[in-house]
């Protein structure tokens, strides 16, 4: 058990029959009466956000979330299939859990999957991935004063803005957190 006064950003707890992550917290001391802790939680399963106020003496059940190294293998229907790098077990994860990470995942990409018991909660990609440009228009320098950009479609289907000199078939490094072009690979 953890006291609500020990909550910090990123603390994961179990309450109301679900798994929640603390996004914000503030400790309010009233002039008369006890202190209150005002928090904002995100449900780790559905993604919904809830504001909650606790009395300073309340306790919550903290949880341990384990990060497992897994490798993305292939897409099976709607589900994504991952392999545990330690046990070689295969896990099918729904598209709702994978979310926007699917835009930058190609086969054999290693990811970190947050697990609570046997349940997968979220996927974290490496900060940078190298992907091949499958389609982009030729760069024509025209009215630009400084370097211009153009849209380019990557091998995973994601579209990023790249400089005019980058051509089709080029491997590029992309930041998975922002979806921005970093450099040629």
């Amino acid at each position: 058990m953890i006291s609500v006064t020990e909550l910090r950003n990123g603390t994961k707890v179990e309450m109301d029959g679900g798994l929640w992550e603390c996004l914000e917290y503030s400790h309010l001391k009233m002039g008369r009466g006890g202190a209150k802790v005002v928090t904002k939680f995100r449900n780790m399963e559905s993604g919904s956000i809830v504001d909650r106020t606790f009395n300073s003496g309340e306790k919550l059940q903290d949880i341990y979330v384990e990060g497992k190294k897994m490798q993305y293998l292939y897409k099976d229907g709607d589900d994504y299939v991952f392999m545990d790098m330690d046990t070689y077990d295969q896990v099918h994860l729904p598209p709702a859990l994978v979310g926007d990470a699917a835009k930058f995942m190609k086969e054999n990409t290693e990811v970190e999957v947050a697990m609570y018991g046997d349940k997968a909660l979220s996927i974290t990609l490496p900060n940078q991935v190298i992907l091949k440009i499958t389609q982009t228009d030729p760069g024509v320098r025209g009215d630009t004063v400084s370097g211009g950009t153009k849209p380019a479609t990557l091998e995973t289907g994601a579209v990023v803005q790249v400089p005019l000199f980058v051509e089709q078939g080029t491997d590029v490094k992309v930041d998975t957190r922002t979806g921005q072009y970093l450099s040629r690979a």
Side-chain angles (χ1 to χ4, degrees), residues 105-168:
M105 278 189 331
K106 65 178 184 177
E107 294 178 355
N108 301 326
T109 301
E110 287 190 21
V111 299
E112 180 143 339
V113 180
M115 303 284 286
Y116 176 64
D118 292 337
K119 186 175 191 174
L121 299 176
S122 66
I123 291 177
T124 305
L125 288 172
N127 292 341
Q128 301 170 356
V129 292
I130 296 174
L131 298 169
K132 185 179 290 296
I133 294 178
T134 57
Q135 195 280 324
T136 189
D137 297 330
V140 177
R141 197 178 259 310
D143 300 339
T144 60
V145 173
S146 61
T149 61
K150 61 183 179 179
T153 305
L154 303 175
E155 61 186 302
T156 59
V159 177
V160 297
Q161 293 292 322
V162 298
L164 294 173
F165 61 83
V166 177
E167 299 175 355
Q168 186 170 322

Side-chain angles (χ1 to χ4, degrees), residues 51-180:
D51 292 326
R52 292 281 302 262
T53 302
F54 299 97
N55 291 325
S56 63
E58 292 185 53
K59 295 197 178 290
L60 296 171
Q61 179 64 47
D62 60 337
I63 60 173
Y64 175 70
V65 177
E66 177 185 6
K68 283 192 172 184
K69 285 276 187 201
M70 292 195 174
Q71 183 179 43
Y72 170 61
L73 297 177
Y74 58 92
K75 189 169 180 180
D76 183 23
D78 285 340
D79 290 346
Y80 295 87
V81 181
F82 292 87
M83 179 182 68
D84 189 329
M85 299 296 283
D86 297 328
T87 63
Y88 302 110
D89 291 336
Q90 291 186 5
V91 179
H92 291 256
L93 299 180
L97 187 98
V98 175
D100 289 341
K103 295 190 305 189
F104 301 109
M105 278 189 331
K106 65 178 184 177
E107 294 178 355
N108 301 326
T109 301
E110 287 190 21
V111 299
E112 180 143 339
V113 180
M115 303 284 286
Y116 176 64
D118 292 337
K119 186 175 191 174
L121 299 176
S122 66
I123 291 177
T124 305
L125 288 172
N127 292 341
Q128 301 170 356
V129 292
I130 296 174
L131 298 169
K132 185 179 290 296
I133 294 178
T134 57
Q135 195 280 324
T136 189
D137 297 330
V140 177
R141 197 178 259 310
D143 300 339
T144 60
V145 173
S146 61
T149 61
K150 61 183 179 179
T153 305
L154 303 175
E155 61 186 302
T156 59
V159 177
V160 297
Q161 293 292 322
V162 298
L164 294 173
F165 61 83
V166 177
E167 299 175 355
Q168 186 170 322
T170 306
D171 288 338
V172 294
K173 194 180 290 187
V174 178
D175 187 336
T176 59
R177 298 165 293 187
T178 61
Q180 292 181 332

